[in-house]
Amino acid sequence: MKRYGNLYEKIYEMDNIREAHKNARRGKTHYREVKQVDKDPERYFKRIYHMLKNKSFHNSRYTVYTKHDGNKDRLIYRLPYFPDRIIHHCIMQVVGTIWTKTLINDTYACITGRGIHKGVKRIKQAIQSDPKGTAYCLKCDVRKFYPSVDHNVLKSIVRRKIKDKDLLWLLDEIIDSAPGIPIGNYLSQHFGNLYLSELDHEMKEVQNCKYYFRYCDDIVILDSNKSRLHNLRGEIQQSLSGLNLTLKSDYKVFPIDQGVDFLGYRFFKNYTLVRKSIVARFKCKVLSIHNGVVKTDAILSTVMSYNGWLKWADTFNLKKALFDYRLKNILWMVSAYMKVHNPVFKLGV
């Protein structure tokens, strides 16, 4: 296995830092921290350059808060924009391609050129092209995945591809900055992909799972044989034990006729629906926009975001349910705006 060295100096090259700021600020230009850097970016870039070159960088203190996500409460760790989030992008712009090459094609979290909708396309294609081979589904996920990641195991995995001692110092500084891998860190999903990559390869190459899909710690396997899926669950648990992880006890093996809930959608043999919780949030947003609760400058991004969900599913009945005078007025406003600013754009509802 090839290991890469001579990477660290590339991370603190000024052009790489400038590009990192450009990528890190995307969609966040209204943040106070970003505006501060934008006032005199070269001064901040030079500070990052020197703290990395001199190895004086230390991970900043996290702001930790609880986010209510459905029935779960998640601890979110937030780092300052400068220097941490910029530096995380500096790292990924150098090592991202190296790490991505080690991943299977059917893992989708936080990978350039993939993402949720590529996963949706792949699952729909599998179900429609091979109904017998996808008759049953195993759906499972890792218990408290992010908080349970073992730092020593993660560091050993990172060292399989990286041998640059200076870069390893920087990565170790970030890895050791919080328990497990903190939700909210830009690097965390990339570390998560690496951590479970060995499991992915075992399922694909050793267990010969033709239809294996993973997003973060959520796993879906489709197969023609129900008993085989139960056996595969045991193999997954055995593999995870070597990573000091365990599966949740609420795994399911079921006929695909019941619908596979994954990636924000529910997949059936002949059609695909948007997950109910997303539809409920969309309806609330529509009502909030109509009642003037949502600010005008947020309407476009809100509708475009949900448009992205709807256009990948069979949403005739949903359109019918939503397409009353309130949504008509909102879509009319968005369409009028987009005709001027982006004539190619088409709404999915």
Side-chain angles (χ1 to χ4, degrees):
M1 179 183 292
K2 182 178 179 180
R3 298 173 71 225
Y4 292 81
N6 302 315
L7 297 172
Y8 189 67
E9 290 184 0
K10 296 178 182 178
I11 288 172
Y12 62 80
E13 287 178 353
M14 287 299 289
D15 285 345
N16 191 50
I17 297 172
R18 292 187 186 99
E19 185 68 17
H21 170 58
K22 177 182 174 182
N23 291 328
R25 73 192 288 275
R26 191 169 291 140
K28 302 177 179 69
T29 53
H30 59 290
Y31 284 17
R32 180 183 56 80
E33 294 174 289
V34 177
K35 289 179 179 179
Q36 189 66 35
V37 175
D38 283 342
K39 288 179 180 178
D40 189 3
E42 291 299 317
R43 180 168 70 90
Y44 287 95
F45 297 163
K46 288 176 183 177
R47 288 175 63 184
I48 290 176
Y49 170 85
H50 287 296
M51 68 175 63
L52 290 179
K53 183 178 181 181
N54 300 331
K55 296 175 68 175
S56 60
F57 167 76
H58 293 287
N59 200 88
S60 299
R61 185 185 296 272
Y62 289 96
T63 300
V64 183
Y65 61 94
T66 301
K67 181 178 180 181
H68 302 286
D69 185 10
N71 296 323
K72 301 177 184 177
D73 287 342
R74 300 181 186 274
L75 280 181
I76 306 299
Y77 291 73
R78 186 178 183 276
L79 283 171
Y81 180 78
F82 172 87
D84 299 82
R85 283 191 262 177
I86 297 175
I87 288 175
H88 286 200
H89 280 268
C90 287
I91 293 169
M92 285 308 302
Q93 286 166 188
V94 174
V95 304
T97 302
I98 295 170
W99 285 348
T100 299
K101 287 179 180 178
T102 69
L103 306 177
I104 64 169
N105 290 328
D106 285 314
T107 183
Y108 301 101
C110 204
I111 301 173
T112 302
R114 299 191 197 177
I116 287 175
H117 293 134
K118 183 174 181 180
V120 171
K121 186 176 180 180
R122 288 275 293 163
I123 293 175
K124 289 171 71 172
Q125 183 181 42
I127 292 172
Q128 292 169 8
S129 64
D130 188 6
K132 290 184 179 179
T134 59
Y136 294 95
C137 174
L138 164 64
K139 187 175 186 299
C140 55
D141 62 326
V142 180
R143 183 177 180 274
K144 296 184 178 179
F145 172 55
Y146 284 98
S148 301
V149 166
D150 186 303
H151 287 184
N152 290 328
V153 175
L154 176 57
K155 289 176 183 178
S156 69
I157 292 171
V158 168
R159 282 159 172 77
R160 292 175 190 172
K161 297 301 291 184
I162 306 296
K163 63 181 180 181
D164 185 314
K165 292 182 179 179
D166 291 328
L167 176 54
L168 291 172
W169 160 80
L170 178 59
L171 292 172
D172 287 352
E173 170 73 23
I174 295 169
I175 290 170
D176 289 333
S177 65
I181 47 178
I183 299 173
N185 250 5
Y186 176 65
L187 282 175
S188 290
Q189 283 192 320
H190 300 285
F191 285 146
N193 281 336
L194 287 177
Y195 204 80
L196 293 179
S197 181
E198 187 174 331
L199 168 66
D200 297 340
H201 284 285
E202 180 184 340
M203 291 297 107
K204 283 284 193 180
E205 297 153 18
V206 178
Q207 302 298 334
N208 296 314
C209 295
K210 185 176 181 180
Y211 303 118
Y212 170 94
F213 308 93
R214 179 172 66 82
Y215 187 90
C216 296
D217 63 316
D218 291 333
I219 298 168
V220 160
I221 306 177
L222 307 177
D223 199 88
S224 61
N225 190 304
K226 191 174 181 179
S227 297
R228 172 170 155 77
L229 290 176
H230 280 286
N231 291 335
L232 285 172
R233 187 210 63 84
E235 295 294 338
I236 292 171
Q237 180 55 71
Q238 185 174 343
S239 181
L240 289 177
S241 64
L243 300 170
N244 296 327
L245 298 173
T246 184
L247 282 177
K248 287 183 180 178
S249 59
D250 60 350
Y251 77 94
K252 296 178 181 179
V253 175
F254 56 91
I256 200 172
D257 292 344
Q258 295 180 13
V260 180
D261 191 334
F262 188 55
L263 299 174
Y265 295 86
R266 290 185 294 150
F267 299 92
F268 297 86
K269 285 183 178 180
N270 300 314
Y271 60 95
T272 302
L273 302 177
V274 181
R275 182 180 290 160
K276 290 181 179 179
S277 59
I278 294 173
V279 172
R281 288 200 297 269
F282 185 27
K283 290 179 178 179
C284 288
K285 285 288 186 181
V286 169
L287 188 60
S288 297
I289 291 171
H290 181 262
N291 292 337
V293 177
V294 177
K295 294 180 180 179
T296 303
D297 58 358
I299 292 175
L300 179 61
S301 61
T302 298
V303 175
M304 287 180 68
S305 173
Y306 283 102
N307 173 70
W309 288 101
L310 296 175
K311 72 179 183 180
W312 288 91
D314 300 291
T315 55
F316 177 82
N317 290 331
L318 177 59
K319 295 173 193 176
K320 191 174 180 181
L322 288 176
F323 213 85
D324 60 11
Y325 74 97
R326 291 175 300 199
L327 188 56
K328 276 185 179 181
N329 290 337
I330 294 165
L331 295 182
W332 180 86
M333 286 191 295
V334 174
S335 296
Y337 178 91
M338 295 308 294
K339 281 179 182 178
V340 176
H341 296 275
N342 186 359
V344 178
F345 175 82
K346 292 182 179 180
L347 285 165
V349 294

